[in-house]
Amino acid sequence: VVHSAGGIDVTADATFTTAVPAPTASSGSATLLSSTRVRLAGSVNPNGGATSYWFEYGTSTAYGQQTSSASAGPGGGAVGVQAELTGLSHETTYHYRLVAQGAGGTSFGADRQFTTPGSLPLVVTDEAAFLTSSGALLQGSLNPNGETTSYWFEYGTTTSYGLATLVTSAGSGLIQVTVGAQLSGLSPETTYHFRLVAQSSGGTSVGADREFTTRIAPPSASTGTATAVTSSGALLAGTVN
């Protein structure tokens, strides 16, 4: 619109469209899955536009590697995202950040870092065997992954355990080995929880919880004294529980 002493001049109508805002990205936590695997987490707000995301990672803030691009959708609120890294080096510090990209631009989450441990032992808790009213054989298997490794079983009547077998060496091999421990002095008709634990310079690995129930206690018999003994008979006595 132009206004002057000569009058008012109005131009033709025109339109414009506001730009789509850039998505926002927030780098979250890193969860160690093993000595060479990590799960990265974060959140992305697409701010109403179709958005893709990925994680950049590497041994410095130059990163150099990234996960595959994935969709975070076109929503208007923050959504949780994650990606798994594999083939990492032991005892290495990595940097990472979340990246989100949409029509409105690209956003970068803050730099974060994690350090992989040494080679953690791999642990599997197996079923208990040879159950009696007072004993059981706990079983499992583990792979020391090349590190000097020791193991033990935790056990008890709850998942708080509270008791443990003796610490035993599992060597430092690179293959899965079977291990076990014999329990005695248990209560009859009682459910016990147990799990295998292995420890090396790379850290401590804990197997899944399992349980077993001891058997009913067998009856007990005690031979007593023979009485009323004659040349052709006697009264035998004893007790049975």
Side-chain angles (χ1 to χ4, degrees):
V1 179
V2 178
H3 181 269
S4 69
I8 298 175
D9 184 29
V10 179
T11 63
D13 178 72
T15 63
F16 66 91
T17 302
T18 55
V20 176
T24 56
S26 177
S27 304
S29 62
T31 302
L32 290 171
L33 303 177
S34 76
S35 57
T36 59
R37 293 171 53 228
V38 169
R39 180 183 297 118
L40 304 182
S43 63
V44 172
N45 188 334
N47 285 324
T51 298
S52 58
Y53 72 90
W54 60 90
F55 289 88
E56 295 180 335
Y57 67 99
T59 55
S60 71
T61 52
Y63 307 105
Q65 299 181 79
Q66 67 180 55
T67 61
S68 298
S69 177
S71 173
V79 294
V81 298
Q82 62 182 29
E84 187 173 314
L85 309 184
T86 61
L88 303 175
S89 299
H90 300 145
E91 299 179 277
T92 302
T93 297
Y94 287 87
H95 293 260
Y96 68 96
R97 67 180 178 183
L98 177 59
V99 183
Q101 186 175 69
T106 302
S107 297
F108 299 90
D111 175 76
R112 289 180 176 268
Q113 61 187 59
F114 63 88
T115 300
T116 55
S119 187
L120 284 167
L122 303 177
V123 171
V124 177
T125 309
D126 293 327
E127 296 284 350
F130 303 111
L131 302 179
T132 68
S133 61
S134 61
L137 176 63
L138 305 186
Q139 302 181 114
S141 63
L142 63 92
N143 185 334
N145 273 331
E147 303 286 343
T148 300
T149 300
S150 58
Y151 73 91
W152 62 92
F153 289 89
E154 296 178 335
Y155 67 99
T157 55
T158 71
T159 52
S160 295
Y161 307 106
L163 299 168
T165 62
L166 294 175
V167 176
T168 306
S169 172
S172 57
L174 291 169
I175 60 173
Q176 201 81 359
V177 294
T178 299
V179 297
Q182 181 69 49
L183 301 184
S184 61
L186 304 177
S187 299
E189 296 183 88
T190 302
T191 297
Y192 287 87
H193 293 261
F194 71 100
R195 65 182 180 183
L196 176 60
V197 183
Q199 187 175 68
S200 71
S201 60
T204 302
S205 296
V206 178
D209 175 78
R210 287 186 179 269
E211 59 184 66
F212 66 87
T213 301
T214 50
R215 307 297 190 197
I216 298 173
S220 59
S222 177
T223 305
T225 303
T227 58
V229 178
T230 68
S231 60
S232 59
L235 177 63
L236 306 181
T239 59
V240 174
N241 185 339

